[in-house]
Amino acid sequence: MAAVSARLPAFPWDKLEPYKATASAHPDGLVDLSVGTPVDPVPDVIQQALIAAADSPGYPTTWGTAAYRDAITGWVQRRLGASNVGHRNVLPVVGSKELVAWLPIQLGLGAGDKVAYPRLAYPTYEVGALLAGAEPVMYDDDPTVLDPAGLKLLWLNSPSNPTGRVIPKDDLVRIVAWAREHGILVFSDECYLELGWEADPVSVLHDDVCGGSYEGIVAVHSLSKRSNLAGYRAAFIAGDPAVLGELLEVRKHSGMMTPSPVQAAAVVALGDDAHVAEQRGRYAARRDALRTALEAHGFRIEHSEASLYLWATRDEPCWETVEYLAQLGILVCPGDFYGEAGERFVRVAFTATDERVAAAVKRLG
């Protein structure tokens, strides 16, 4: 059998290990600002919901409980401004990375089909295309300049990982209209939408963007960052009921089910805005401290108006910057993990604890 992994690029994070070893040797220990994994506690109200649902001996359903679908539709209506969303417009997924990686296969895409995504992007968009045998196609800021021939799936990412760039609402309106004109399915990765700092991210599902119709558009959301639930693998998609209905049938056959206790916890997470505001406050303080320290140290920050990252450069190859900061005991992510266009940038996550962020600020001073 041919190795499927042979189609894929090398797993990028393995390349960081030597630099992690260097940074870990710092007398005051490692400050890891690379992966961007949540480190703050899961809010107690969510933990208690998980515990209360721990006695769940039966199989969960792929579509989720009615209570979970109610929670998702309520949040999408309230937070995204999508007034017409019902149960047929939502589908739980087992973390958003799983969805991104397997979506082209689940849509039936393959040889001769094109999957487009931003030139600076989360690498799993490309991986999903390659797993399906489809052709990956990159675009810069405006996907409407692409040749629509053979283009079946268009990924948007706002706020962007890694840059934090936010697509303005007027641009979203224009992109959605163009994609519909050409019969291109739009999936919008909006997992950082609750983390806007200098911009207010807008969903493709907002009534002003899609006109109240979800035809040809799907939004991807996650509880990993907003609720510190990366370890729970709780995410969902919302939008076109025809697309979601087909995905539901495929996913039922392949056993892609969110565990019942996680569904119960997600219901509480989506219904509680207080913990989101509290976590935003933590991230805002860390962001301000790191940005100030990096700029004082000679870095330039571009975009970064949203998300959990600072897109930073010293106008040198990214691996030189990674090495330089590793000598200070600070581990960051090289920009070329996200494409060649990032080769002179690093992505700096502000997800470390207050104590570790303070240590980084001191070292940069």
Side-chain angles (χ1 to χ4, degrees):
M1 292 186 293
V4 175
S5 62
R7 305 179 201 168
L8 308 179
F11 188 63
W13 294 99
D14 294 340
K15 295 170 63 177
L16 262 186
E17 286 304 313
Y19 302 92
K20 184 175 183 179
T22 298
S24 298
H26 189 278
D28 186 38
L30 169 70
V31 177
D32 191 345
L33 307 179
S34 61
V35 176
T37 187
V39 298
D40 298 301
V42 173
D44 185 66
V45 65
I46 300 174
Q47 291 191 49
Q48 293 306 313
L50 183 81
I51 293 167
D55 186 14
S56 297
Y59 290 112
T61 65
T62 301
W63 200 20
T65 63
Y68 192 17
R69 296 196 300 273
D70 281 342
I72 295 172
T73 56
W75 183 87
V76 169
Q77 291 168 0
R78 182 179 80 252
R79 184 64 184 85
L80 303 186
S83 61
N84 296 323
V85 167
H87 280 206
R88 293 179 62 247
N89 301 107
V90 300
L91 178 63
V93 296
V94 192
S96 59
K97 184 170 185 174
E98 165 264 302
L99 183 279
V100 174
W102 296 110
L103 178 66
I105 287 177
Q106 292 174 8
L107 290 172
L109 303 187
D113 298 323
K114 297 177 182 178
V115 176
Y117 54 89
R119 190 171 303 279
L120 270 170
Y122 185 48
T124 312
Y125 304 133
E126 178 189 17
V127 167
L130 295 174
L131 284 170
E135 179 185 350
V137 177
M138 293 180 287
Y139 64 88
D140 292 309
D141 293 340
D142 185 4
T144 67
V145 302
L146 293 170
D147 180 355
L151 181 54
K152 299 296 179 64
L153 174 61
L154 170 63
W155 278 107
L156 304 179
N157 182 206
S158 177
S160 163
N161 175 16
T163 69
R165 175 178 174 267
V166 171
I167 302 175
K169 183 170 73 173
D170 289 347
D171 287 352
L172 285 174
V173 172
R174 180 174 52 82
I175 292 166
V176 167
W178 174 82
R180 284 173 167 169
E181 178 186 353
H182 294 287
I184 300 165
L185 178 60
V186 174
F187 263 68
S188 180
D189 182 345
E190 302 172 354
C191 288
Y192 295 92
L193 184 136
E194 299 247 53
L195 296 163
W197 311 110
E198 296 159 8
D200 186 14
V202 178
S203 172
V204 292
L205 300 183
H206 194 288
D207 290 350
D208 292 346
V209 173
C210 67
S213 166
Y214 310 120
E215 179 184 359
I217 56 172
V218 178
V220 181
H221 284 272
S222 168
L223 280 68
S224 292
K225 305 302 195 295
R226 72 183 291 281
S227 300
N228 300 336
L229 295 187
Y232 285 44
R233 311 314 300 137
F236 60 87
I237 53 179
D240 190 325
V243 175
L244 268 58
E246 172 64 15
L247 290 174
L248 174 59
E249 292 305 311
V250 173
R251 293 171 67 85
K252 284 194 296 188
H253 281 288
S254 51
M256 292 181 167
M257 303 172 287
T258 302
S260 298
V262 172
Q263 292 188 42
V267 168
V268 171
L270 288 168
D272 178 66
D273 293 332
H275 78 274
V276 179
E278 182 178 349
Q279 189 61 44
R280 272 183 57 88
R282 293 189 188 105
Y283 284 144
R286 294 166 186 167
R287 177 182 184 271
D288 289 347
L290 282 170
R291 180 167 194 156
T292 299
L294 286 165
E295 290 178 334
H297 201 79
F299 282 83
R300 186 176 75 255
I301 308 297
E302 292 194 1
H303 294 301
S304 307
E305 60 259 34
S307 83
L308 288 178
Y309 313 108
L310 295 169
W311 190 235
T313 182
R314 297 206 311 167
D315 294 308
E316 65 184 6
C318 60
W319 286 99
E320 292 184 16
T321 307
V322 170
E323 171 64 26
Y324 172 76
L325 289 173
Q327 296 293 336
L328 299 179
I330 301 170
L331 187 67
V332 298
C333 182
D336 67 2
F337 277 12
Y338 304 91
E340 292 182 4
E343 62 186 3
R344 298 182 74 82
F345 285 81
V346 294
R347 194 195 72 172
V348 183
F350 42 89
T351 54
T353 64
D354 291 345
E355 185 273 332
R356 287 290 84 189
V357 168
V361 168
K362 181 178 180 181
R363 297 173 197 183
L364 290 166

